[in-house]
Structures are given as C-alpha cells and as structure tokens.
Amino acid sequence: MRFGKTLQKSVYPPWKGNYIDYHKLKSLLREHEATDDDTSDAENPWTEQDEEAFVQELINVQLDKVNAFQVETSKNLRERTSACESKLEALVPKDGEQESQVDEQKRREVAAQVLSELDGIAKEVSELEKYSRINFTGFLKAAKKHDRKRGTRYRVKPLLQVRLSQLPFNSEDYSPLLRSLSVMYSFVREILQGAAPKSNDPMNMVEARDIYTSHKFWVHADNITEVKTYILRRLPVLVYNPKTSKELNVPNDPTITSLYFDSPQFELYNQKVARAPEAGSLRLRWMGPLNDQPAIFLEKKIVTEDDGSREVRVQLKEKHVQEFLRGEYKFDKKLHRMEDHANEQEQVESFKKDIEELQSFIREHDLQPMLRANYTRTAFQIPGDNRVRISLDTNLALIREDTLDPERPCRDPNDWHRKDIDDSGMEYPFSSIRKGEIVRFPHALLEIKLKGDGRGGEWVNDLMASHLVKEAPRFSKFVHGVAQLFEDYVNSFPFWLGELENDIRRDPEVAFQQEQERLAKRAEEDMAVGSFLGSGSRPSPSFKPMVGSPVSRFPGASSPSRAAERPEPSSRPRRPLEIPSSHRNGSPAVSEPTPTRTPTPSSRLKNYFPSFSMSRYARARRERVQLPPGVRHPGTWLKDAGPVKVESKVWLANQRTFIKWQHVSVLLASLSMGLYNAAGEDNHIARTLGIVYTCFAVFAGVWGWYMYETRAKLIRQRSGRDFDNVFGPIIVCIGLAAALVLNFAFKYIAAMREIKADSVASTLSGSTNASVTPPLGLVKQDGSRLLTA
C-alpha cells in the first residue's frame, strides 16, 4: 500500500489539520514528472528555487507544525493528568477519619467522573503516539523520494535526520505518563468496585520470580573494550558449549545467526512497531557455521498485554527444517519414544501442542524467511546464578533473505536459507553481498537482564547511567533490519532511525548530570502519583543520589570530587529530592531551601565582597537542599571526627599566594620610592602619586598577610567555605589604573597650560618690537647709508 493511503487511514479526525501535508510535498517535488534522464525534466529543469521551496516546506513549515502540535498536546495531556491527580487526592481518607454513606456516595461520583476523564486521556495518549510515528515515517518517506529523484545534486535526508534528532515529537517517552494513568485506574476501580487484589498474593509472587526486566543500550565502537573490562571485573564470560571441561583454551565468542520470518505484507513487523497486543515473531536460530551441523531452534515469541512474553520453541535438524515449515514433519519418531514412557504423557501433549501452534502460525500468516541477523555475542553470567545476565553483541550485519522480487530473489524460493552464505562459510563483514541487501549496524548492542524486581547492584546501575552506553529501549534487530532494507515495502518506521547519524559518545560529567536529572524527575513523578495513595510522603526508592559521578569509576573519566563539585546550571530549578553537590561531598547543608531569584544590580555589587564569592565551587557550596523525610542534619560529620591531616601542597599553596602578595607590595614600594625621590620639590603631582603608590604597597602587604592567616585558619578547621576572594585584587587593580589615568590627565593639563602660556608670550613680544624699535639709519636715494645709530 502506498504511504499516502496509509496516512489517510491513520488520521485521527479531531487532529486532521495537524498532520504532515504529504500531498503538498509531492506536488512541490513534482513527482508526477519523469526523472532527470527524460525529456520532460530537460524541458522543465529542477532549479535552486524549486529546491529551496521544497526544503523550506519540509524542514521548516511541516516539521515545525507537527512538532508544535505534539508538544502542545503532550503538555495538555500532562495537565489533565495532574488535574485528575488533584481530584483523587481529595478522595484519600485522612488518618482516623470515618466515612459516612454520603461521603462514600460522593467519592463514587467523583471517581466515576475521573474514570471517564482517564479514558479520554488514555485514548489520546495512544493516538498521540500513533500521530508521532506516522508523521515521522512521512518525513522520512518524503526525504527519500527527494533524494531518489533529485539526489544527484541535492540530498535532504541527512539534514532532516539532524533536525529530527533535535525535536521531541519522535523521541518522547510516554511510559511515565502511562504509569501514572495505570496507578490512578487502579485507585478509581478500587473505589468503584471494591478492594483490588493484593500484590503480595503467593501465586503472583511465584510468577514474579521468573520475570526478567530487560534494558537495552547502544555502545560506540570506541567504548566496547572499556565496557567489556568493566563487566569482567564483576561477572565472568559465559562459555558456550566447551568441548571438555578440562581444556584451558577458552573458545572464541560464538557467531549467532537469527533468521526472521514475516509475511509479504510484513504483518509481524507492523504489529511489532505499533506494539500491538499479542504481537508475535518467529525466527530460526543457531550458533556457528551451518556446516558444523549446530542445533537449530525454531522460536515463536508472543508479547502479552502486561508487557510480558510467552515463548514456544522446538529443536530441528537442518534436513528437517524445510519439511517442518511446509507442515510435513511432525516429530513422529521422537513422539513415539516419549509415548513409551508413561511418566512423559503430559510432556507429549505439550510437545504436540507446540508443534501444532508453530505450524498453524506459519500457515495462517503465510510466513517465510525475510531477514538474517548475524552477530558475535559475548555473554556474562555467574554459573548457577541467573540474577544478572548481560550480553554484548558486536559485528551486527542484517541481510535480506526474501524472495519478494521474482526476477532477482535473494535466496532460492524452494529453500529456507541463502546457500551462498552458509555453504561458503561467509563471515563478517560479508563483502560479497550485493549493495542494498546488507546493512551493517554501526554500534554494539548491550542487553542487561535483571531477575525479579529489576534492580541490579550498584555497579550495574553505574554502568547503565555512564557515558559509555546510550539507552535504546525497545530496540529490535528484526525491526531495524526491515526498516533499513525493506523501506519501500513498509509504511511505519521505528523512532531510533533518526539517531543513527548522531555521535552517541558523551562527556562523563554531562552524562552524570543528565542521569541525576532523570532520576530526580522520576522521583518527582512517583511522589505526585503516590500522593493520593498515601505514599507521597516517602521518597521514591528508584531515586538514590550518587556520591560523585558514577562514570568516575571508568578509565578516562573525571574524578568523583570534580564531578561532585560541578554545580548545576542556574536556569534549571532545584528538584525537591535532588541532593546538591555540597551535600554529596559531606559539607554541612541547611535544611531550608533557597528560592531561585533573578540577580539584581545590588546583588551583583555584593559579589565583590569577601563573603560572597561567585566561583563555581562557592556557588555549589552555598546551595541549599530540602532533606528527605526522616533525614536530619548530623551536626558533626565523620570527616571531622579524626585528627587534622592536610596534605603539604595545601599549606604550600597558601604560602605561595602570600609570597606573591609580598612581591607585589615590594614592587609597588620600590616604584613609589623611586618616583618620590626623582621628582623635584616643585613637581607636586609626582610626589603625590608616589605617596598614593606607597599606600597601595602597604595595602597589598597587609591584605596578603590577612588572607594567609584566614586561609590557614580555614584549612585547620576543615571549613566548607570558599578560599578565593576577589576583593583585594580588584582594589589594587582599580586603584593603580585610576592613579595612572589621573597621572596622565594632570600631566596633559599641565602641558596644555604651558603651551598656551608660551603662545601668549610669543604674541606679545612680536607686537612690542614692531612699534618701539627706532630706525637704524637714513638711506640716500642711491642706497648708501647716510647716518647710522
């Protein structure tokens, strides 16, 4: 189906005018015209103005329109959710309060109204996610059409991907909002229908033991070795199928091949992208080369409505795979052997049921091999302890395995796999595969599975929050391969495609700050949701302020003290449960929060005085925090309990600063003494400046001694106050600058006066000589002198 028709069917009527105008983009692209090689394009060529009009409409007009609507709708949904929370808070009975029949009736009415509102919010959240996905796909489709038709001179897709990575509409996570809705639904139903089932039911606890929480991440190629060594210090490498337990040589990491199935209409792919209920997947999976006759497993996985999964798996031999896919092979011999044992009757029935389920699933959906995923896996796990399971997949290659093009099939339609790969033992990077049939994923894939409640040890949490990994929730090799290799056959793409062009490496301190913000935001949401359930007074167990940066434990990262001393940006408001860096370092913290204020001119002036330093360290130290409930100020810190032990370099640094101030004092005194002695008795300006410089020299010496004693006292007391002080340097610098300016001004004025006096004297002298000087003699008519003076 063409994307235009898919878009029309996906439109949510109330939001009809806010979708991407795909028809207009195709009109601007002039898709109805022929390609560049035909005569029609030569008669009406694609110009710079056409390119500018298309890019302007795609990048600025349509993308901004979609993003603005998504942001506004998401904000509105959160406000409506907060309003529902406020209504439900009033329904929470106070301690010791007895409810009357009237109050209970009123609570039911309010709960019914909130339930109706929650239904509307839940529906719009679902529609908003579909809205984001279909528009995201539309932008990629439009960019691809442009690059395919006009790509010889202009390419838009890289620019579009950079722009998409900067906008939230295709990357916003609605999980916190859905979690809030889920809690409120439970509370409302408890009011309307009675008590909800207890979460500590023994059966539920038994089932919870087998549940794993999965976390997926991307790892940049530069960080793979660092991640491996970090995990190896806690978990050993899980060895696959060692030949003998006595061998000392550990085999190489196995190469795993997964062959994914789908229908020609890609039904399974579309269900998985849309996260449809009961979405299923089917794959064949084996380790190592197929020529070594490994065990082949056919696996069907169904995602249940509660985000769990159910798996059906059978083991096959290579010669029976094609027969089983056609429904001809039924494991008759194996079933006969199992039926001979009376105690295996239940297993026989279960095995028959699994066989029938797999074959009917293939038959009903017309499934066939579509995609091959080949990768090298390194697994980490303590033998016999499956609480923490970690796998790192590298060299991931996704290869087409379909026969959709009858003229150029990727495999033999009568076989179940590509023999050109398996018979020749082809390995990564599969250089012989034709372009367009293979995609090599640029990063490694890290998956952490935690058993039970999903909480790992401190080192696991540090790894997941570090700069070495980038979180990639719901990433799927199958979905990524289909989206990259079959983009002409599908009309829905996963959101992570827009991030492939970005550099996923991060600065350690930036990663730490982002993780702290995320944890604080989650804690704030947990408190808001739990407030009407009577648990709002307790901090969220998922938020635990870290001592220093967790990434400081990795090689090349910043030290814990430096990361902890890094202050937060002043523009970001203080989270209610976020512990500032001063408290993490062990410094005394005041329990009352200080509101954020806009700096005024008077407050800026106070920054120049000794007690109001504006350094980053001092600002972090002056931050205040609201201590969590049940936590009080200790009064005396553990760091102050023992004897004072200060490194020598701290004392020496203080002494060096004192010596520098004395050096400045001596220089100023020498300058003032020389200036005063060189000036004569009549040069009052020079003598005055000499006295001024002497005053500054005395001030520098006294200030240096004062600061030396003050800092020495702070060091001995282990004070948390700041050591730097800008008052003294500013006074000396401003004073010297003012003295030099005044010196120049006085000398300039004196010089101008002297020049003016000389000019007046010269003028008066010239006029006097011309009027009173007698003639020197009389001259005859012939020019001879007659009389001389």
Side-chain angles (χ1 to χ4, degrees), residues 743-759:
N743 185 16
F744 176 79
F746 291 151
K747 296 297 292 182
Y748 178 79
I749 293 173
M752 293 300 296
R753 288 178 179 174
E754 186 177 352
I755 293 174
K756 187 175 181 180
D758 291 344
S759 177

Side-chain angles (χ1 to χ4, degrees), residues 222-231 233-234 463 466-468 506-508 549-560:
D222 296 347
N223 299 329
I224 292 177
T225 302
E226 196 168 349
V227 170
K228 280 186 176 182
T229 55
Y230 180 80
I231 300 174
R233 292 197 292 268
R234 281 87 181 176
L463 176 61
S466 73
H467 67 289
L468 300 176
R506 295 183 295 169
D507 180 78
S549 173
V551 297
S552 61
R553 304 184 178 94
F554 295 91
S558 303
S559 63

Side-chain angles (χ1 to χ4, degrees), residues 366-382:
D366 189 20
L367 300 181
Q368 55 184 280
M370 285 288 182
L371 179 73
R372 176 190 295 247
N374 185 277
Y375 51 93
T376 302
R377 167 162 292 184
T378 305
F380 305 88
Q381 182 182 335
I382 298 176

Side-chain angles (χ1 to χ4, degrees), residues 422-685:
D422 295 323
D423 291 350
S424 61
M426 196 180 302
E427 297 180 351
Y428 189 87
F430 301 97
S431 55
S432 300
I433 302 297
R434 293 175 295 189
K435 185 178 180 180
E437 295 183 2
I438 183 172
V439 170
R440 299 171 182 87
F441 192 69
H443 310 302
L445 300 175
L446 178 71
E447 184 174 8
I448 301 176
K449 291 184 177 181
L450 305 175
K451 191 175 183 180
D453 58 1
R455 297 182 186 179
E458 182 180 357
W459 70 271
V460 177
N461 298 329
D462 290 348
L463 176 61
M464 293 192 294
S466 73
H467 67 289
L468 300 176
V469 298
K470 173 180 173 51
E471 189 174 9
R474 296 189 298 274
F475 179 82
S476 168
K477 301 182 184 73
F478 168 61
V479 172
H480 183 79
V482 173
Q484 291 283 85
L485 296 172
F486 299 91
E487 55 183 347
D488 291 336
Y489 295 87
V490 296
N491 291 327
S492 182
F493 294 136
F495 287 146
W496 63 74
L497 289 183
E499 301 181 7
L500 285 179
E501 302 297 330
N502 300 337
D503 189 355
I504 65 173
R505 291 170 293 185
R506 295 183 295 169
D507 180 78
E509 292 188 2
V510 173
F512 171 68
Q513 293 291 338
Q514 292 176 349
E515 178 64 14
Q516 287 295 89
E517 291 181 8
R518 186 182 69 84
L519 292 177
K521 184 176 181 181
R522 178 184 295 179
E524 188 176 349
E525 291 172 348
D526 290 345
M527 289 187 67
V529 173
S531 60
F532 58 85
L533 295 179
S535 60
S537 59
R538 299 189 301 271
S540 171
S542 62
F543 175 64
K544 180 181 180 182
M546 303 177 185
V547 180
S549 173
V551 297
S552 61
R553 304 184 178 94
F554 295 91
S558 303
S559 63
S561 59
R562 288 178 179 265
E565 289 173 4
R566 183 180 181 89
E568 299 173 350
S570 58
S571 60
R572 185 169 62 86
R574 167 67 57 199
R575 302 294 184 184
L577 290 181
E578 189 169 358
I579 306 301
S581 56
S582 60
H583 190 64
R584 290 195 299 267
N585 281 344
S587 302
V590 180
S591 59
E592 294 181 2
T594 301
T596 304
R597 296 177 181 175
T598 304
T600 60
S602 60
S603 64
R604 293 191 184 98
L605 291 176
K606 293 180 181 179
N607 296 332
Y608 294 103
F609 292 92
S611 60
F612 293 91
S613 173
M614 288 303 296
S615 68
R616 294 190 304 169
Y617 180 81
R619 290 201 305 268
R621 289 288 181 179
R622 287 200 301 269
E623 289 180 349
R624 302 295 185 262
V625 63
Q626 181 180 1
L627 296 178
V631 179
R632 60 183 179 84
H633 192 281
T636 302
W637 298 94
L638 292 177
K639 68 182 183 64
D640 298 330
V644 178
K645 293 181 181 180
V646 182
E647 295 183 8
S648 301
K649 63 181 180 181
V650 179
W651 299 105
L652 295 176
N654 191 23
Q655 293 173 3
R656 282 196 302 270
T657 307
F658 169 69
I659 293 173
K660 287 290 184 181
W661 273 108
Q662 302 311 307
H663 186 203
V664 172
S665 177
V666 171
L667 288 178
L668 290 176
S670 301
L671 174 64
S672 62
M673 187 66 67
L675 182 62
Y676 188 87
N677 292 334
E681 296 181 357
D682 298 333
N683 193 347
H684 300 291
I685 297 177

Side-chain angles (χ1 to χ4, degrees), residues 240-391:
Y240 287 94
N241 298 326
K243 294 181 181 179
T244 64
S245 59
K246 298 181 180 180
E247 289 185 356
L248 297 178
N249 296 328
V250 179
N252 296 328
D253 293 332
T255 299
I256 300 178
T257 303
S258 296
L259 204 61
Y260 293 97
F261 288 69
D262 208 339
S263 66
Q265 294 77 29
F266 292 94
E267 296 178 11
L268 303 185
Y269 167 84
N270 292 325
Q271 292 177 3
K272 197 170 184 66
V273 172
R275 287 191 290 170
E278 299 297 325
S281 62
L282 186 70
R283 68 178 179 182
L284 284 167
R285 192 165 178 260
W286 66 90
M287 294 183 184
L290 198 59
N291 292 333
D292 294 345
Q293 298 181 352
I296 302 176
F297 296 92
L298 181 64
E299 302 171 341
K300 174 192 175 185
K301 187 176 182 180
I302 299 294
V303 179
T304 58
E305 295 182 355
D306 56 352
D307 290 335
S309 62
R310 184 176 61 87
E311 188 173 292
V312 179
R313 185 170 77 162
V314 297
Q315 182 177 344
L316 296 166
K317 294 182 179 180
E318 181 183 355
K319 60 182 180 181
H320 296 312
V321 172
Q322 188 66 24
E323 297 178 4
F324 185 88
L325 296 179
R326 290 198 298 260
E328 300 172 357
Y329 183 70
K330 300 290 186 179
F331 288 93
D332 294 334
K333 294 183 179 180
K334 184 176 182 179
L335 290 174
H336 286 314
R337 287 196 300 268
M338 295 176 65
E339 289 175 350
D340 293 339
H341 298 80
N343 56 351
E344 295 185 359
Q345 293 301 321
E346 294 183 1
Q347 297 180 6
V348 170
E349 296 300 326
S350 177
F351 190 56
K352 288 182 179 180
K353 184 178 179 180
D354 292 343
I355 296 173
E356 180 59 29
E357 181 178 353
L358 288 172
Q359 292 183 341
S360 62
F361 186 68
I362 296 172
R363 184 173 56 254
E364 291 172 2
H365 295 276
D366 189 20
L367 300 181
Q368 55 184 280
M370 285 288 182
L371 179 73
R372 176 190 295 247
N374 185 277
Y375 51 93
T376 302
R377 167 162 292 184
T378 305
F380 305 88
Q381 182 182 335
I382 298 176
D385 185 356
N386 59 355
R387 290 175 298 175
V388 180
R389 299 163 56 187
I390 299 178
S391 62

